[in-house]
């Protein structure tokens, strides 16, 4: 199962989440927004050096379906070049903002050399329904190979707290591990499925 986190990097929540993941010895995938990464490059490197996979969410957190084809391509290009410049590694995965996509968005993502990656479990943690609710929603839908959509960030406003998500992540890991689940990055999951 893969835990994925969208909309970061977003201090102090990304750092708090990294601490929990380190304590639990879990590697996750962070779908980052280029604009946020440009503001917090050290945090991007911290995520990477902790062994997590850095992936692209977008250059700017906008609904790609509402942009022209050129705007979509430049948004993706900006995000990709920003993150690759900070990490020094090539990106392979992208999740469009809100998961909104059509054939032209998918082809723009593919043209940038990236694989479109959505999710199979969506506990709606960004609404801050409570850590227990977030945990229960993930446990109800858990299955081998699942991709869980969570948020360490709050793009584009960067205002909402993410304490509930961080608290829920610790419980999700403990409870699912007790059921025999292992946690992997999107990249590792892709390799297992091929």
């Amino acid at each position: 199962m893969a835990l994925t986190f969208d909309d970061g990097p977003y201090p102090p929540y990304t750092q708090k989440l990294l601490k929990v993941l380190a304590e639990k010895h879990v590697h996750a995938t962070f779908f980052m927004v280029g604009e946020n990464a440009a503001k917090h490059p050290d945090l991007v490197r911290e995520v990477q050096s902790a062994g997590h996979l850095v992936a692209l969410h977008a250059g700017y957190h906008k609904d790609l379906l509402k942009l022209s084809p050129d705007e979509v391509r430049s948004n993706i290009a900006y995000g990709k070049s920003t993150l690759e410049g900070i990490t020094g590694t090539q990106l392979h995965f992208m999740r469009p903002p809100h998961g909104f996509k059509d054939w032209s968005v998918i082809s723009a993502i593919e043209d940038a050399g990236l694989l479109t990656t959505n999710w199979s479990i969506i506990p709606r943690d960004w609404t801050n329904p409570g850590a227990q609710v977030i945990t229960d929603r993930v446990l109800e839908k858990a299955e081998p190979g699942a991709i869980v959509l969570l948020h360490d960030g709050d793009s584009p406003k960067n205002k909402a707290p993410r304490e509930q998500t961080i608290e829920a992540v610790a419980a999700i890991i403990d409870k699912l591990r007790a059921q025999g689940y292992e946690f992997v990055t999107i990249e590792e999951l892709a390799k297992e499925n091929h």
Side-chain angles (χ1 to χ4, degrees):
M1 181 181 286
L3 296 179
T4 67
F5 299 94
D6 285 15
D7 292 357
Y10 181 45
Y13 302 105
T14 304
Q15 291 97 320
K16 290 180 178 183
L17 178 61
L18 286 174
K19 208 171 161 205
V20 170
L21 294 172
E23 283 164 7
K24 306 286 182 191
H25 304 288
V26 165
H27 288 147
T29 304
F30 287 77
F31 286 93
M32 296 187 177
V33 178
E35 166 178 46
N36 296 348
K39 286 180 198 149
H40 307 288
D42 291 346
L43 193 46
V44 176
R45 286 188 279 267
E46 200 179 318
V47 168
Q48 183 187 28
S49 65
H52 303 292
L53 182 66
V54 173
L56 181 61
H57 197 28
Y60 301 95
H61 198 284
K62 294 178 175 173
D63 175 356
L64 300 182
L65 296 180
K66 292 184 176 155
L67 303 180
S68 73
D70 284 348
E71 287 171 329
V72 170
R73 287 175 197 283
S74 67
N75 187 327
I76 294 169
Y78 165 69
K80 186 172 189 250
S81 65
T82 301
L83 285 169
E84 289 181 345
I86 294 167
T87 61
T89 57
Q90 202 178 347
L91 297 188
H92 299 290
F93 301 92
M94 174 170 171
R95 173 178 288 156
H98 315 290
F100 295 165
K101 61 189 187 302
D102 61 10
W103 290 112
S104 71
V105 167
I106 292 170
S107 78
I109 291 171
E110 286 173 358
D111 289 348
L114 301 165
L115 281 171
T116 306
T117 311
N118 269 357
W119 56 81
S120 56
I121 300 177
I122 181 164
R124 298 179 59 81
D125 64 313
W126 69 88
T127 62
N128 284 322
Q132 189 63 52
V133 173
I134 297 168
T135 304
D136 291 345
R137 286 174 179 170
V138 173
L139 294 174
E140 275 163 28
K141 300 265 194 301
E143 60 180 7
I147 297 172
V148 185
L149 169 65
L150 294 161
H151 294 74
D152 64 317
D154 175 44
S155 291
K157 294 191 182 92
N158 295 318
K159 283 190 182 147
R162 290 291 168 251
E163 294 290 354
Q164 293 180 7
T165 298
I166 292 158
E167 193 184 322
V169 165
I172 289 165
I173 291 169
D174 289 345
K175 290 180 173 169
L176 288 177
R177 206 170 244 164
Q179 294 177 25
Y181 281 93
E182 288 174 33
F183 296 93
V184 295
T185 65
I186 289 290
E187 196 163 41
E188 291 166 318
L189 200 61
K191 281 180 191 152
E192 284 172 22
N193 292 333
H194 286 293

